[in-house]
Amino acid sequence: MAEEQQQGVKASASVDPTPLAVAEMGKSSDPLPTSIPSWFTPKRLLFIFCVINMLNYIDRGAIASNGVNGSRRTCSKSGKCIPASGIQGEFNLNNFKDGILSSAFMVGLLISSPVFASLAKSVNPFRLIGIGLSVWTTAVVGCGFSFNFWFISVCRMLVGVGEASFISLAAPFIDDNAPVSQKSSWLGIFYMCIPTGFAVGYVYGGVVGKHLGWRYAFWGEAILMLPFAILGFVMKPLQLKDTKVSSGKDSTLSTKEEFSDKSSKKNSELKGQLFDPNQFPRFAKDMKVLLCEKVFVVNVLGYIAYNFVIGAYSYWGPKAGYFIYNMRNADMIFGGMTIFCGILGTLAGGFVLDFMSTSISNAFKLLSVATFIGAVFCFTAFCLKSMYAFLALFAVGELLVFATQGPVNFVCLHCVKPSLRPLSMAISTVCIHIFGDVPSSPLVGVLQDKVNNWRMTALILTAILFPAAGIWFIGILLHGVDRFEEDSEGRVTKTERSNTTSFLEGKAAEQREPLAEP
């Protein structure tokens, strides 16, 4: 009898010890899961997301590098000609068309982001990520086989589908599982992969494009991404906070079900939800709530102006450096500097916000001050004629400008209730691209074709950082409310955010036995 009681205690210790959870499990007839995805701890999930994010932006950096992007055939007055190279040279593209290649992904991103964000409420998000990354991998392979401008443009559009499936879902997962005192730091680590990925892409594209040809750069990216696309289909199901439709049942029960294998009945219900006609009115209602949130709107407006500059920097930076300062190894110089400044600046922004205490008001303070001072350094750098003086000041400016990545996405995640976070990230991503870096690259190309002066073009572009700092300053005056702990009905939940984390960090569970009744 004593042994049976001890076994009952051990069995109950392996289950959620809260009385509510025990009561719900006693009522439920569903079998408990036989295993827990113990390998996918929060830190490992963060690592996986960071690698995927970096590969995504390595692709962006590679297509902007001189080794892959190349240049058209040019001849000097003395008759000395530089042969055509890369994509621009092979397809004989002017700067406007060349800039379109950096923006074409927006078509897929614009169409897919709201769809993936909406489906995340009823479909396992990791399956959505797997689908998106599969499309991304196929599209990148197609870029390597491109035979004209229009074909590679279509492939670049499909690349946006992969980013849409990933970027709107990864950040909420990270914010769910990050320690309370390190949320901004974890987001900073994740978004550090953007400048780092761009920089690595410059170097990668320069090396591979020079030695093997620009097509091999795309094929290499596809090989690296393929395992992560497969991982999205084989991972154990994980749910986002407050995205499980529980039909009024207690949230503890839905938490317990997050990791259970779906029965055929539940699978058919989920499939039916994919085409639920009520999803469209629900999406319209969510969009109305999101766009009425002043903090979200101000944050995104500042982010658009900021991304307009950063997008053009990332695409035209190596080429501008080559022509302004005669940088023979512009890919390597810009790549190395951006890797260092991107890592240090992005991490510093997250840690500084955590040190200040993570609040929406403090995030706006950091955004406005860092962007303004960074703009001063970058603008001054382009006024100098010495390459070494330029690199020194521009590096400081990059450090400050990249410090915004953690805080700006913290605001996006915390100014709305948890059920709207995937949509908040999706709409933010769509807006900063469609109004930011998508038009900036072609417009800067048109401006350069018009003025034919890379220094003047760079100064005009850099000046746009000042309005970005001003818009974020307005956010300080709004006194935004952190809505992270609100449930889908606007009530503040008392459930600790470690619910999902405890499942992720738990050890593999043994076969569980039913609890003996007292």
Side-chain angles (χ1 to χ4, degrees):
M1 186 68 179
E3 292 180 357
E4 292 179 356
Q5 290 178 348
Q6 291 178 357
Q7 291 177 356
V9 171
K10 290 181 180 179
S12 62
S14 64
V15 187
D16 189 343
T18 60
L20 182 58
V22 172
E24 288 294 337
M25 286 187 287
K27 296 176 183 178
S28 175
S29 61
D30 292 340
L32 291 173
T34 58
S35 63
I36 291 176
S38 60
W39 190 87
F40 295 104
T41 62
K43 290 183 179 179
R44 285 173 177 163
L45 280 174
L46 175 63
F47 175 78
I48 291 171
F49 287 145
C50 285
V51 174
I52 296 173
N53 202 27
M54 184 169 292
L55 287 174
N56 192 31
Y57 282 90
I58 284 175
D59 172 70
R60 302 267 199 94
I63 197 173
S65 68
N66 288 324
V68 172
N69 188 263
S71 59
R72 302 167 75 180
R73 183 175 183 270
T74 57
C75 295
S76 63
K77 295 180 180 179
S78 62
K80 184 179 179 180
C81 295
I82 300 176
S85 62
I87 297 173
Q88 188 177 19
E90 184 163 336
F91 300 141
N92 193 28
L93 307 179
N94 58 24
N95 286 332
F96 175 72
K97 284 188 175 181
D98 192 28
I100 287 177
L101 290 183
S102 73
S103 307
F105 76 96
M106 187 59 216
V107 176
L109 185 71
L110 176 62
I111 297 173
S112 303
S113 286
V115 175
F116 282 118
S118 180
L119 290 177
K121 289 187 174 183
S122 56
V123 180
N124 176 19
F126 276 89
R127 302 299 178 263
L128 298 176
I129 291 174
I131 293 171
L133 295 184
S134 298
V135 175
W136 189 97
T137 304
T138 304
V140 169
V141 171
C143 290
F145 286 106
S146 299
F147 52 86
N148 62 23
F149 167 72
W150 295 109
F151 186 86
I152 194 172
S153 295
V154 171
C155 290
R156 299 308 299 174
M157 293 175 191
L158 293 175
V159 166
V161 176
E163 180 175 347
S165 70
F166 172 72
I167 203 67
S168 60
L169 302 176
F173 260 116
I174 292 171
D175 197 56
D176 274 352
N177 295 286
V180 176
S181 62
Q182 299 176 19
K183 286 188 282 187
S184 184
S185 301
W186 279 43
L187 287 173
I189 292 171
F190 176 70
Y191 286 102
M192 170 196 72
C193 297
I194 295 178
T196 306
F198 262 119
V200 173
Y202 293 152
V203 177
Y204 168 78
V207 173
V208 176
K210 180 179 179 181
H211 293 89
L212 298 176
W214 63 269
R215 298 179 186 274
Y216 285 89
F218 291 116
W219 295 333
E221 294 167 9
I223 293 173
L224 293 173
M225 183 66 84
L226 182 60
F228 296 97
I230 297 173
L231 187 64
F233 292 103
V234 300
M235 279 186 65
K236 292 284 185 180
L238 303 175
Q239 285 299 130
L240 289 169
K241 177 183 173 70
D242 203 30
T243 57
K244 182 82 172 176
V245 180
S246 57
S247 301
K249 294 181 181 180
D250 187 85
S251 60
T252 308
L253 184 60
S254 65
T255 302
K256 183 197 73 172
E257 292 175 350
E258 285 173 7
F259 303 97
S260 63
D261 295 329
K262 307 297 185 193
S263 64
S264 59
K265 179 179 178 180
K266 290 180 180 178
N267 275 331
S268 63
E269 290 176 355
L270 288 180
K271 290 178 182 178
Q273 288 177 0
L274 287 173
F275 305 100
D276 185 359
N278 293 327
Q279 281 190 340
F280 296 101
R282 190 184 306 125
F283 173 76
K285 181 180 177 181
D286 289 345
M287 281 295 299
K288 182 179 179 180
V289 172
L290 191 63
L291 296 179
C292 288
E293 177 57 58
K294 295 179 181 179
V295 172
F296 173 81
V297 173
V298 169
N299 187 55
V300 171
L301 287 176
Y303 205 6
I304 287 171
Y306 166 90
N307 214 53
F308 188 96
V309 179
I310 298 301
Y313 271 174
S314 63
Y315 193 74
W316 294 112
K319 193 166 290 188
Y322 177 82
F323 285 104
I324 296 174
Y325 297 103
N326 196 26
M327 293 182 189
R328 295 184 179 181
N329 296 316
D331 289 343
M332 301 296 181
I333 294 174
F334 265 85
M337 183 171 61
T338 306
I339 288 175
F340 175 78
C341 297
I343 293 175
L344 187 60
T346 308
L347 289 178
F351 283 114
V352 169
L353 182 57
D354 283 334
F355 179 78
M356 295 170 64
S357 79
T358 48
S359 68
I360 291 177
S361 178
N362 284 341
F364 275 124
K365 291 176 184 177
L366 184 57
L367 288 171
S368 58
V369 172
T371 303
F372 180 82
I373 300 176
V376 171
F377 274 92
C378 290
F379 191 89
T380 305
F382 279 112
C383 293
L384 302 177
K385 294 184 179 180
S386 169
M387 182 182 72
Y388 297 105
F390 162 78
L391 291 175
L393 288 183
F394 192 73
V396 176
E398 274 198 325
L399 279 171
L400 292 164
V401 168
F402 284 134
T404 61
Q405 290 297 319
V408 72
N409 288 286
F410 173 86
V411 175
C412 270
L413 289 168
H414 285 254
C415 70
V416 297
K417 58 187 178 182
S419 62
L420 288 180
R421 290 183 305 156
L423 184 63
S424 172
M425 293 304 299
I427 299 304
S428 171
T429 302
V430 168
C431 289
I432 65 173
H433 288 317
I434 197 170
F435 300 113
D437 58 354
V438 167
S440 71
S441 294
L443 288 176
V444 168
V446 171
L447 177 63
Q448 174 57 25
D449 287 338
K450 184 73 174 178
V451 302
N452 196 28
N453 185 325
W454 277 108
R455 189 186 301 275
M456 182 63 65
T457 299
L459 288 171
I460 294 173
L461 175 66
T462 304
I464 299 175
L465 285 174
F466 292 106
I471 294 171
W472 277 329
F473 180 79
I474 295 174
I476 301 174
L477 309 177
L478 295 178
H479 304 293
V481 177
D482 192 329
R483 292 186 167 88
F484 179 83
E485 294 298 339
E486 288 185 6
D487 62 14
S488 59
E489 297 180 356
R491 299 170 302 189
V492 177
T493 61
K494 296 182 180 180
T495 304
E496 292 294 331
R497 203 167 47 84
S498 58
N499 282 346
T500 306
T501 307
S502 64
F503 280 100
L504 293 172
E505 292 179 326
K507 296 180 180 179
E510 297 177 353
Q511 182 72 30
R512 295 189 169 103
E513 299 176 2
L515 293 175
E517 295 182 2

